[in-house]
Amino acid sequence: MDPTFEDIESFAILGITCRSTPDQIDYEGEWRRFDRYAAVAKELALDDQYYAGYFMVESQGELVDFCAGVAVPVGATSPNDEMVVRDVPGGCYAMFTCTMPTLSQTWASIYREWRPPEDTSIDHTRPDLEVFPAEGSPKEAPIRILVPVKTS
């Protein structure tokens, strides 16, 4: 499991959010909830992909704010009270690719088996990300998992 490393610019996610542990999130339900606002969100989007961010709430434990939506410019504001905007700081990310059927397995492998290169560590101050292909893409289209890293 060898990722590529990618420097990304800061952006924000405009979408919906819930607070939970990753293993307790109703992902399908959250994406359905986002679908109610998708048309409005897409008007502001930087691209045609979908983004999920896992923003750590506690430094100890696994509680996260899961945010599902689209990428928008930093400084964007929510067009309504039902959606939120969460900033994603730029920087270096380890990028893994998988498909929807292997998404959970890939996450498990990243956090159980993968070790960042020497002098590099996971940066828990920035969110882990999932980047999903545009609507209408083939079912087996690659999903990108981005894990923030920093040099020690």
Side-chain angles (χ1 to χ4, degrees), residues 34-45 50 70 79 83 135:
F34 171 73
D35 282 345
R36 290 184 246 165
Y37 312 105
V40 172
K42 287 178 186 178
E43 291 177 14
L44 303 170
Y50 295 92
V70 297
M83 291 193 296
E135 204 169 316

Side-chain angles (χ1 to χ4, degrees), residues 118-152:
E118 192 172 319
D119 297 328
T120 304
S121 60
I122 295 174
D123 182 357
H124 295 289
T125 66
R126 294 183 287 148
D128 289 339
L129 302 168
E130 296 168 343
V131 183
F132 297 91
E135 204 169 316
S137 296
K139 187 173 183 146
E140 293 297 316
I143 295 168
R144 294 185 301 147
I145 295 175
L146 301 169
V147 177
V149 294
K150 61 184 176 183
T151 53
S152 304

Side-chain angles (χ1 to χ4, degrees), residues 58-138:
E58 299 176 355
S59 59
Q60 310 240 331
E62 294 184 25
L63 194 60
V64 297
D65 282 340
F66 173 74
C67 184
V70 297
V72 295
V74 171
T77 57
S78 177
N80 60 46
D81 292 339
E82 290 80 27
M83 291 193 296
V84 299
V85 176
R86 294 294 305 259
D87 289 339
V88 176
C92 187
Y93 284 78
M95 184 183 73
F96 303 83
T97 52
C98 63
T99 59
M100 188 58 85
T102 63
L103 184 61
S104 294
Q105 177 185 347
T106 303
W107 274 117
S109 295
I110 291 168
Y111 275 99
R112 289 186 187 136
E113 300 166 14
W114 179 68
R115 297 292 172 257
E118 192 172 319
D119 297 328
T120 304
S121 60
I122 295 174
D123 182 357
H124 295 289
T125 66
R126 294 183 287 148
D128 289 339
L129 302 168
E130 296 168 343
V131 183
F132 297 91
E135 204 169 316
S137 296

